[in-house]
């Protein structure tokens, strides 16, 4: 066994899965830190970016460029984070990432110039790689065993409320004390919640079989076999198509999320009401995740991927074409949130549904990296599309088309043996 064992828990020595009490603890800890991490590191920017540009005089492209750089840094660091978690568990890397986030957000809040602002987002991007969904998904996939889908669903249900809580709170703080003080106020959540919970809450056993047997492969041979398997999967056509579909979805979804407030303001909403609408999208995410288990049990891995991405495309197009009625736009935003919420779980289980749980952290890191790059480009791409096409509504139509292409790619993103298996995501591993 390797990894963190500060707290003794009964677990399966073959799979590394925790017992019920240990898994409940892991889910509670990770759910709590996810809502704070997403809220402070991601959704606060969506609510505060217009105030940043107005106060500093920096252009919208310059400000969103810094946020995009953070996503690039997150994607690059995420592959290493996944490999580290596979080998040693999440405790140390997630705690370190939480610590890195503190000077990162502080630099963003206190930046006297654009260079320091960018440096702050570089640190924040590195922190994102070790605090947001991918490392949490890797931890619960390992610890959850055959119960991982329920654990992942609970995690994303709670984290889905991050925008609901933090977007309006950030907007209110902005009005009361300004965007810089708002960021510093939100920063206390990282200090008080994420750092201690990651360190003291994730000291659970992380089982990796390093025992050598006379008639079995050595540790070095097992590592080489694992590398060969990862390489074979990563080079396969289904994995490549899945990665492309995931990247295009990331581009469409995050361009919409980051540009939703200015799009709604363009439609005549006040900034505060638009921030509330962004937050209510989180309610839609929670609703989607509540129904995921039944949805997954009734569909094949290919079918649910195609349906969810088609749903993202349709909801995005509906936002673009709808009349400027606040109530209708809010409802459509919640429907888009519902599709996004389901897609989060489709992505979280994409590797295990197709290739099983072995080397999940590494494979999911490779799968997620292009999507994070796309998410990095997304804020800039959405703003530029709106500028070139004359409105955010026209930009959203293009983004709907991007999500539609992703849905088509998803048709070929499943290995042949898993296509024939029918509904399987909820019925345990094929270990």
């Amino acid at each position: 066994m390797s990894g963190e064992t500060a707290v003794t828990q009964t677990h399966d020595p073959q799979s590394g899965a925790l017992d019920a009490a240990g898994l409940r603890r892991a889910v509670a800890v990770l759910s709590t830190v996810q809502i704070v991490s997403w809220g402070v590191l991601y959704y606060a920017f969506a609510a505060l970016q217009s105030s940043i540009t107005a106060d500093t005089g920096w252009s919208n492209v310059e400000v969103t460029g810094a946020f995009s750089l953070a996503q690039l840094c997150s994607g690059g660091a995420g592959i290493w984070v996944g490999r580290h978690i596979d080998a040693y568990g999440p405790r140390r890397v997630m705690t370190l990432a939480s610590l890195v986030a503190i000077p990162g957000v502080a630099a963003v809040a206190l930046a006297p110039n654009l260079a320091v602002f960018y440096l702050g987002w570089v640190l924040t991007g590195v922190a994102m790689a070790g605090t947001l969904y991918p490392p949490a998904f890797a931890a619960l996939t390992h610890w959850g065993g055959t119960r991982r889908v329920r654990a992942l669903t609970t995690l994303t249900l709670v984290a889905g409320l991050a925008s609901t809580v933090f977007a309006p709170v950030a907007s209110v703080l902005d009005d009361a004390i300004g965007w810089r003080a708002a960021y510093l106020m939100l920063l206390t959540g990282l200090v008080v919640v994420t750092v201690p919970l990651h360190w003291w809450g994730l000291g659970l056993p992380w089982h990796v079989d390093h025992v050598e047997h006379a008639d079995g492969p050595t540790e070095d041979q097992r590592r080489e076999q694992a590398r060969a398997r990862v390489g074979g999967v990563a080079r396969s056509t289904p994995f490549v198509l899945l990665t492309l579909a995931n990247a295009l979805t990331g581009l469409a979804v995050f361009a919409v999320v980051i540009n939703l407030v200015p799009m709604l303001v363009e439609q005549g909403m006040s900034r505060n009401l638009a921030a509330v609408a962004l937050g209510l999208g989180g309610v839609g995410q929670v609703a989607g995740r509540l129904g995921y288990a039944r949805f997954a049990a009734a569909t094949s891995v290919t079918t649910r991927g195609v349906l969810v991405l088609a749903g993202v495309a349709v909801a995005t197009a509906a936002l673009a074409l709808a009349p400027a009625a606040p109530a209708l736009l809010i409802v459509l935003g919640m429907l888009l949130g519902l599709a996004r919420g389901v897609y989060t779980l489709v992505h979280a289980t994409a590797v295990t549904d197709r290739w099983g749980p072995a080397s999940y952290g590494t494979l999911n890191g490779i799968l997620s990296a292009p999507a994070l790059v796309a998410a990095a480009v997304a804020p800039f791409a959405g703003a530029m599309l709106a500028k070139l096409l004359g409105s955010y509504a026209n930009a959203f139509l293009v983004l709907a088309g991007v999500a539609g292409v992703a849905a088509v790619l998803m048709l070929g993103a499943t290995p042949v043996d898993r296509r024939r298996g029918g509904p399987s995501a909820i019925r345990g591993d094929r270990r």
Side-chain angles (χ1 to χ4, degrees):
M1 180 186 301
S2 74
E4 309 299 342
T5 57
V7 176
T8 301
Q9 291 283 348
T10 302
H11 67 293
D12 183 345
Q14 298 301 316
S15 68
L18 295 172
D19 65 2
L23 184 59
R24 281 195 299 270
R25 169 179 166 176
V27 170
V29 168
L30 288 169
S31 296
T32 303
V33 295
Q34 284 296 297
I35 192 171
V36 176
S37 297
W38 273 102
V40 177
L41 302 182
Y42 196 92
Y43 286 110
F45 176 80
L48 298 175
Q49 68 175 114
S50 60
S51 293
I52 296 172
T53 58
D55 177 60
T56 61
W58 303 329
S59 72
N60 189 53
V61 172
E62 289 171 328
V63 171
T64 55
F67 188 74
S68 294
L69 179 61
Q71 310 306 304
L72 288 173
C73 293
S74 179
I79 295 175
W80 178 85
V81 168
R83 290 172 180 164
H84 179 92
I85 290 176
D86 277 343
Y88 303 107
R91 185 192 191 197
R92 287 180 290 184
V93 71
M94 295 190 81
T95 303
L96 178 60
S98 296
L99 290 169
V100 170
I102 294 170
V105 175
V108 169
L110 300 173
N113 53 55
L114 201 57
V116 176
F117 188 74
Y118 269 67
L119 175 61
W121 279 112
V122 168
L123 292 174
T124 302
V126 172
M128 288 177 179
T131 55
L132 299 185
Y133 276 147
F137 289 166
L140 290 185
T141 295
H142 181 93
W143 278 331
T146 57
R147 295 171 294 176
R148 65 177 178 271
V149 172
R150 179 176 296 178
L152 291 168
T153 301
T154 302
L155 173 79
T156 56
L157 279 172
V158 176
L161 294 172
S163 62
T164 306
V165 174
F166 280 89
V169 167
S171 182
V172 169
L173 288 173
D174 183 19
D175 286 342
I177 57 179
W179 72 270
R180 293 182 186 273
Y183 257 130
L184 292 175
M185 185 72 71
L186 295 172
L187 178 60
T188 60
L190 300 177
V191 177
V192 174
V193 177
T194 64
V195 173
L197 278 183
H198 278 142
W199 182 253
W200 283 289
L202 297 181
L204 297 161
W206 189 266
H207 176 82
V208 180
D209 184 10
H210 290 306
V211 179
E212 295 186 12
H213 303 281
D215 57 348
T218 65
E219 180 178 334
D220 287 343
Q221 287 172 331
R222 281 194 298 275
R223 288 177 176 172
E224 184 59 34
Q225 289 169 356
R227 282 195 292 268
R229 179 182 179 276
V230 167
V233 170
R235 289 189 295 269
S236 68
T237 298
F239 190 90
V240 171
L241 290 175
L242 179 65
T243 303
L244 289 172
N246 197 46
L248 290 176
T249 304
L251 176 63
V253 164
F254 288 105
V256 169
V257 169
I258 296 300
N259 290 286
L260 183 61
V261 170
M263 185 269 203
L264 294 176
V265 170
E266 181 183 78
Q267 297 296 315
M269 278 194 193
S270 69
R271 183 173 59 84
N272 284 343
L273 182 58
V276 170
L278 174 63
L280 289 175
V283 177
Q285 290 187 68
V286 170
R289 290 162 187 168
L290 281 171
Y292 180 76
R294 290 184 179 179
F295 174 62
T299 56
S300 69
V301 61
T302 300
T303 300
R304 60 180 165 272
V306 173
L307 287 176
V308 172
L309 294 190
V312 170
V314 170
T316 302
L319 269 172
L321 297 172
L328 176 60
L329 291 171
I330 288 172
V331 169
L332 291 174
M334 292 179 69
L335 289 175
L336 178 60
L338 186 149
R340 285 171 46 216
V342 177
Y343 182 72
T344 300
L345 284 166
V346 169
H347 171 69
T349 57
V351 170
T352 47
D353 283 350
R354 292 166 172 82
W355 296 282
S359 302
Y360 175 90
T362 303
L363 284 169
N364 194 56
I366 296 170
L367 174 66
S368 298
L372 289 169
V373 172
V377 175
F380 175 80
M384 287 302 297
L385 280 171
K387 182 177 180 179
L388 292 172
L389 300 175
S391 72
Y392 281 98
N394 289 336
F396 275 35
L397 279 177
V398 173
L399 294 170
V402 170
V405 172
V408 173
L409 291 175
M410 192 65 78
L411 289 168
T414 305
V416 173
D417 59 332
R418 293 299 172 107
R419 294 179 201 171
R420 296 168 181 166
S424 61
I426 230 65
R427 298 174 184 170
D429 296 338
R430 291 186 177 102
R431 291 183 183 272

